[in-house]
Amino acid sequence: MNRADKNYLHFTQFVLFSVFLVIVAGSVVRMTQSGMGCPDWPRCFGRWIPPVNASQLPPDYEKYLKKQDIDHTFNVFHTWTEYINRLTGALLGLWLVIHVGWSFKKYFRTRPSLFWISSLLLVMVAFEAWLGKLVVDANLAVVKITAHMLAALVIAAVTIVIIQRVNKKTPVQDKELKWLANIALLCLLVQVILGTEVREQIDEISKSLNYIQRDSWISRLNVFFTLHKSFAWVAALACVVVFWKSLSYPTVSKTGAWIFVTVLASMGLGLAMTYFHMPALAQPLHLLCATILFMLVFALRLRLK
C-alpha cells in the first residue's frame, strides 16, 4: 500500500472513530436525561450558540421549556450536553464532506465504488441528522430514538466496508468460519433488536418515575428483558466460537481476540445493570461495547470467503 492509500485509510479510520464518538455522545445524553436540553432544532433556544445562564434565554423561552419532561426549567448542563452531542454529529458530517471530496479526487477514475460508497455515507449522515430533528420534534419519541441509533450502526458498518476495500488484504478461505460468523452476526442482530425493546421500556419507566427509583426499573420490565438476558448467552457463545476458530488464522486472530475481550466487557456491563440497579455509567458503556462487538464480527466476516 502506497503512502497516499495509507493516508486515505487512516482518515477513514478516523471517520469510523467519529461515528463511535457520536454514538457515545448520544448515549451520554440519554444517561443524563439531557435529550431535551435543546428543545428546538437545529438551533438551541432559538440561538446558534446555547445560553449559559437563564438571563440569556429569549423572551419567549417558556414555549421551549414546556417541551421538557423533567423539571421544565433551564438547566445549563442538560443544554450543553445535548449541544455537544449535536456538534459531534456536525463534525462527522464535515469529515464526510472531506472524505467524499478525497474519494472523488483519488479514486473516481480507478476505483469509483469507493467514491459512491463514501457519498452514500454522507447521505446517510444527512438522514441521521433529519432523524435527530424528528426526535426533537416528537419530544424524544422512543421509536424514533431507536431508529436514530440503528442508522448510526449502519453508518459504522458501511465505513468498515470502505476500510476493508482499501486494505485489500488476502481473504481467509474457510467456509465453516464464514458460516459461524454469519450465525454470530444474526444472533447479535437479534440481541440488538431485543435490547432496543428493553431500552424503550426503560425510557418509559424512568420517565414515569421522574428518573428516580432506579432500583425498581428492572422489576418493571416485561418479557423482552427476560429474552434479552437469556439470549445474551447464546450470542456470547456464538461470538466465542468465532474467536476460537479464528485463532487458526494469524490474519484474523487479532480481530477474534478483540471479539472475545468485547464479549466479556459487554456481558459484565449487562450483569452490572441487572444486579446493581442500572448504574448510569454502565448504560452508555454497554451500548458502546455492543456496537463495537457487532462491528468486529462484521469486519471479520468481510475477511472470509
Side-chain angles (χ1 to χ4, degrees), residues 97-290:
V97 169
I98 296 172
H99 195 273
V100 170
W102 196 341
S103 302
F104 178 82
K105 181 179 180 180
K106 180 169 177 55
Y107 294 113
F108 185 71
R109 293 188 179 182
T110 57
R111 303 178 66 186
S113 62
L114 290 176
F115 165 72
W116 292 115
I117 297 174
S118 177
S119 299
L120 175 63
L121 271 178
L122 183 59
V123 171
M124 292 172 68
V125 167
F127 175 73
E128 179 83 332
W130 176 72
L131 276 179
K133 180 182 184 303
L134 291 185
V135 168
V136 174
D137 291 345
N139 195 15
L140 298 181
V142 291
V143 174
K144 292 185 175 68
I145 295 175
T146 299
H148 199 47
M149 175 60 205
L150 292 178
L153 291 179
V154 175
I155 291 170
V158 175
T159 308
I160 289 174
V161 170
I162 296 177
I163 292 172
Q164 296 281 29
R165 291 196 175 198
V166 176
N167 266 325
K168 295 189 292 186
K169 292 183 178 180
T170 304
V172 172
Q173 302 282 345
D174 189 322
K175 290 186 178 180
E176 182 182 358
L177 180 55
K178 174 183 173 180
W179 282 106
L180 288 171
N182 287 336
I183 293 171
L185 280 173
L186 179 60
C187 289
L188 289 172
L189 181 60
V190 171
Q191 187 66 351
V192 166
I193 293 172
L194 292 173
T196 58
E197 291 291 334
V198 173
R199 192 188 73 175
E200 289 178 7
Q201 290 179 37
I202 288 293
D203 286 344
E204 295 169 353
I205 292 168
S206 59
K207 182 177 178 179
S208 68
L209 295 173
N210 295 317
Y211 304 100
I212 57 176
Q213 301 180 40
R214 300 182 75 93
D215 58 334
S216 66
W217 293 4
I218 293 292
S219 62
R220 294 169 180 257
L221 294 169
N222 65 17
V223 67
F224 278 107
F225 173 67
T226 302
L227 291 173
H228 181 62
K229 183 171 62 172
S230 301
F231 197 75
W233 296 102
V234 177
L237 178 61
C239 291
V240 169
V241 172
V242 169
F243 151 69
W244 186 259
K245 183 69 174 176
S246 72
L247 294 179
S248 302
Y249 303 98
T251 56
V252 296
S253 60
K254 185 176 180 180
T255 302
W258 278 112
I259 288 173
F260 181 70
V261 170
T262 312
V263 165
L264 294 180
S266 183
M267 292 292 288
L269 289 164
L271 291 171
M273 287 193 294
T274 301
Y275 296 106
F276 294 99
H277 309 311
M278 296 288 296
L281 185 59
Q283 291 178 275
L285 291 178
H286 183 63
L287 175 61
L288 178 61
C289 284

Side-chain angles (χ1 to χ4, degrees), residues 287-305:
L287 175 61
L288 178 61
C289 284
T291 304
I292 292 175
L293 177 59
F294 188 92
M295 294 308 156
L296 285 169
V297 177
F298 180 70
L300 188 144
R301 170 60 184 84
L302 290 178
R303 296 286 312 281
L304 304 174
K305 281 193 174 181

